Structure formats: structure tokens, C-alpha cells
Amino acid sequence: MLDPKDHLAATLKLTRQTQGLSLDKTAEKTGVSKAMLGQIERGESSPTVATLWKIATGLGVSLSTFIEPVPETKTQTIVRTADTIRQHPGDDGLMIAPLFPFEQAFGFEFLELTFLPGYERISEAHEPGVMEIVSLITGQLDILSDGQWHNLKQGQSIRFAGDRTHGYRNPTDAKAVVHTLIHYPHRP
């Protein structure tokens, strides 16, 4: 399996080139500096999940596109274990396991996210029509949607529009683990 940093570098460069974009144009579309994009493409930088989201949204691709290749088999049963694929990109208090990366045929990605104690992030709006469903497996987590923080307890789920500003906050001193499904309705 390709090293996560190498996969990210190769995928960003290929996505950018496939769309006919220079680093300058990519920086304009994503809000991420040309210098940072160049460092990522050269494998010199491990961006945070927030930065990856900005790049993914600006380029119109899923977050998991940059984390792991789509599994090769599409017609057979696939079993994946979060412990073997969990990553800590950018070391920003969030670990991510792309249980099922985005596939065009399904229109969604299914992730396990682990929010370390004290983690907080306000996420910019994703592309129009994106929906997120978050189910809390362990711990406690606050989700910001429609301008209001919702406190999730273990076993609770929330669905919200990912195409608006939203956020995640772990106000406790224990990790919070969620399963999240992100649906991208406008992908060809």
C-alpha cells in the first residue's frame, strides 16, 4: 500500500492536472497557498484535515480522495478495520479512518473520526448539496449546525447540511469516536 503522504501528493497533483489547473489557479480555488500546495505535492507537508477539506471542496472531490485510494473490488463483500487504516493527518487532534472512501457509484464516503480531548474546528461550507450524518459511538461531541451547538451523547446521531458552516467540538477530556457518512449528490 502506498504511504499516505505519497498518495496525497500524487492524488493532488493528478487531480489538479486533470482539471487543467496551475498551482496558482488551484490556490485561488481552494484558499490554500501556492507554497503549501507545492509542499504537499512534493510530499514535504502533512496538511491538517481542515486544509484537506479546503482543497477537496475547491477541487470538487471528496475528502477521502486524498486519504486513501478507492478499494479495487466493487462487487464483492469488503471488510475493513478502522485500527488498520486510521491516520492522523497534520497532527491536529483528529484521527480519520476512511472505512469506505468515496465511490462515484454510491455518492458517499463513510468515515470513522476520532476527536481527541479539547478538539474544536469550525468547518467552511462544502459544495452545494453535501449532507453529513454523524453517529456518536463513544464519548461526547458537540456539533454546530444552523448556528446552534448540538450536544451528542453516545448512541445519538445528527444529520445536517454540510454546505453551510458547521463545526465539531470535543469539550471533554476523553476521546470521542463517530461514524460519519458524507453524501455528495452532484458528482458525475
Side-chain angles (χ1 to χ4, degrees), residues 68-156:
E68 181 178 307
V70 174
E72 290 181 25
T73 180
K74 295 186 188 303
T75 59
Q76 298 175 354
T77 300
I78 300 172
V79 177
R80 294 176 52 90
T81 304
D83 289 341
T84 62
I85 56 176
R86 190 174 295 115
Q87 299 178 31
H88 198 164
D91 197 31
D92 70 343
L94 176 64
M95 294 183 286
I96 186 167
L99 295 170
F100 293 97
F102 178 81
E103 292 182 60
Q104 271 186 307
F106 304 119
F108 69 85
E109 59 193 350
F110 185 64
L111 312 168
E112 179 211 72
L113 303 175
T114 302
F115 299 90
L116 299 182
Y119 180 86
E120 183 171 339
R121 179 172 72 85
I122 303 299
S123 178
E124 297 174 13
H126 307 310
E127 66 190 79
V130 170
M131 292 295 297
E132 295 190 32
I133 299 171
V134 177
S135 295
L136 187 63
I137 307 304
T138 62
Q140 181 178 322
L141 189 68
D142 296 337
I143 303 284
L144 175 67
S145 79
D146 296 323
Q148 178 181 344
W149 285 100
H150 304 272
N151 180 258
L152 289 185
K153 304 226 180 324
Q154 189 170 323
Q156 290 184 313

Side-chain angles (χ1 to χ4, degrees), residues 15-73:
T15 303
R16 179 179 63 76
Q17 290 175 339
T18 300
Q19 293 184 20
L21 299 172
S22 65
L23 281 173
D24 285 321
K25 285 290 184 193
T26 304
E28 283 178 34
K29 288 183 74 144
T30 64
V32 176
S33 73
K34 176 182 174 181
M36 172 60 84
L37 291 167
Q39 289 173 358
I40 295 169
E41 283 191 6
R42 292 187 302 274
E44 298 170 356
S45 178
S46 293
T48 64
V49 171
T51 300
L52 286 177
W53 262 120
K54 288 173 85 170
I55 295 168
T57 299
L59 295 176
V61 298
S62 68
L63 174 67
S64 62
T65 297
F66 295 118
I67 297 173
E68 181 178 307
V70 174
E72 290 181 25
T73 180

